[in-house]
Amino acid sequence: MHAIGIDIGGTKIAGAVVDESGTIVRSERVPTPADPARLEDAVVAMIRSLSAGEPTAAVGVAAAGFIDAAQSTVYYAPNIRWRNEPFRAKLEARVGTTVVVDNDANAAGWAEFRFGAGRLVSDMVMLTIGTGVGGAIVASDRLFRGGFGAGAELGHMRLVPNGIACGCGQHGCLEQYGSGRALLRMAGEIADAGGIGQALARAREEHGALDGRIVGDLIAAEDPGATAALRQLGHWLGEASASLAAVLDPQRFVFGGGVAAAGDLLLDPVREAFLEHLPARGYHPEPDFVIAELVNDAGVVGAADLARVWVAEHA
């Protein structure tokens, strides 16, 4: 039976009909409205459009933010004016089918576990390296959500005591050292220092500022300044992964998001720092480090499959 997955992003809403093997049958995209009421209307219209003439078991909706353990209420969404929003109940009342709501990083991580880079293991941690850092944990073949549903916020794990201020209100979070924004900050610092940062400095002067595309192109060209910034980022991610391994003992770490497109240029320093900081190194089994496979489709595929799982468990 097919299911519908909806992924609400900051700039677009992606939706798809997904079969039981994780294959997208049909998909749609629309811009994300700024107004919450219009956003709800857009999601309802997309569900109706995707379900037309297509028998579907349920609808899964993925969104950034804290979602309760019942996969129903959005406690808090950073990019949408939702506070304790009963989104599941609102959608079910309008579309007349089962709806489940989950965190977007959870959905992407579940998709990788079921159909992508984590499909051959039972315990997996996924880190999504984009503007911020998202996280998902699978333990003993089940998605970990925590007692209140807001678990696996790995980007807000404290990495540096009294470190850089984070948007969450704390200081020193992984997001400030292992994200795309952090990479741009590190690249800017290397550009300021001269030496290997000369190409970064020239690009910044030419374009007015460094952005992800510029730094990504320089990394792909193996520019020494840009790759040094990436190695700094990888070091912090590896150190954080060692702490996560001490608690969760995953068989595999999966890295997704735009920065993960660097492949082994990112993973090599991650592995090095992981081994440097791994407790009981030499006696602790070492996990794999891999790049996510589903890329932009992970959110909708994971949301659809989580909805299918919910229906199966509550049948």
Side-chain angles (χ1 to χ4, degrees):
M1 180 67 73
H2 293 166
I4 292 174
I6 306 289
D7 187 7
I8 302 173
T11 59
K12 69 177 183 301
I13 301 172
V17 178
V18 183
D19 70 15
E20 293 181 357
S21 67
T23 300
I24 292 177
V25 176
R26 190 154 50 91
S27 63
E28 295 183 8
R29 292 189 178 192
V30 298
T32 303
D35 178 65
R38 290 181 55 225
L39 187 151
E40 180 184 320
D41 290 341
V43 171
V44 168
M46 182 173 284
I47 292 170
R48 288 173 176 165
S49 174
L50 289 169
S51 61
E54 197 81 60
T56 53
V59 177
V61 178
F66 296 157
I67 319 294
D68 70 350
Q71 297 169 270
S72 178
T73 300
V74 183
Y75 292 138
Y76 169 82
N79 302 320
I80 307 166
R81 295 192 303 275
W82 281 342
R83 304 294 184 268
N84 295 315
E85 176 73 11
F87 199 49
R88 175 179 179 176
K90 286 185 174 182
L91 291 180
E92 286 185 337
R94 295 183 64 179
V95 301
T97 190
T98 299
V99 175
V100 297
V101 183
D102 221 312
N103 174 270
D104 57 347
N106 279 348
W110 184 253
E112 290 294 339
F113 171 72
R114 288 273 287 135
F115 309 111
R119 61 186 177 276
L120 298 179
V121 300
S122 63
D123 290 72
M124 180 200 90
V125 171
M126 180 167 175
L127 288 163
T128 304
I129 315 303
T131 304
V133 176
I137 298 167
V138 177
S140 299
D141 297 313
R142 296 189 67 85
L143 187 65
F144 173 83
R145 295 188 178 86
F148 299 103
E153 287 289 333
L154 304 183
H156 297 291
M157 178 176 72
R158 184 70 64 83
L159 189 62
V160 180
N162 302 314
I164 297 170
C166 183
C168 73
Q170 298 301 318
H171 290 76
C173 295
L174 173 59
E175 187 162 291
Q176 299 308 311
Y177 298 87
S179 65
R181 274 188 302 231
L183 178 65
L184 294 182
R185 186 188 72 246
M186 294 166 185
E189 291 168 353
I190 291 171
D192 291 340
I196 62 171
Q198 291 179 22
L200 287 167
R202 285 195 300 270
R204 184 174 59 185
E205 184 176 354
E206 179 181 349
H207 296 280
L210 294 172
D211 60 23
R213 182 190 61 79
I214 293 168
V215 175
D217 287 347
L218 287 170
I219 289 170
E222 299 187 13
D223 170 72
T227 54
L230 186 67
R231 287 192 64 82
Q232 286 184 32
L233 187 88
H235 175 90
W236 288 114
L237 290 169
E239 184 172 339
S241 296
S243 294
L244 289 167
V247 178
L248 300 169
D249 191 29
Q251 298 153 300
R252 181 164 295 169
F253 281 91
V254 178
F255 290 83
V259 178
D264 283 334
L265 290 175
L266 172 67
L267 293 186
D268 286 346
V270 169
R271 294 186 187 103
E272 291 170 12
F274 175 84
L275 292 175
E276 181 183 343
H277 294 278
L278 179 66
R281 179 181 176 181
Y283 299 95
H284 191 294
E286 296 174 12
D288 297 328
F289 292 83
V290 301
I291 299 297
E293 296 178 3
L294 300 181
V295 196
N296 296 327
D297 294 332
V300 293
V301 171
D305 199 64
L306 286 169
R308 190 182 290 109
V309 168
W310 193 96
V311 169
E313 291 182 346
H314 293 81

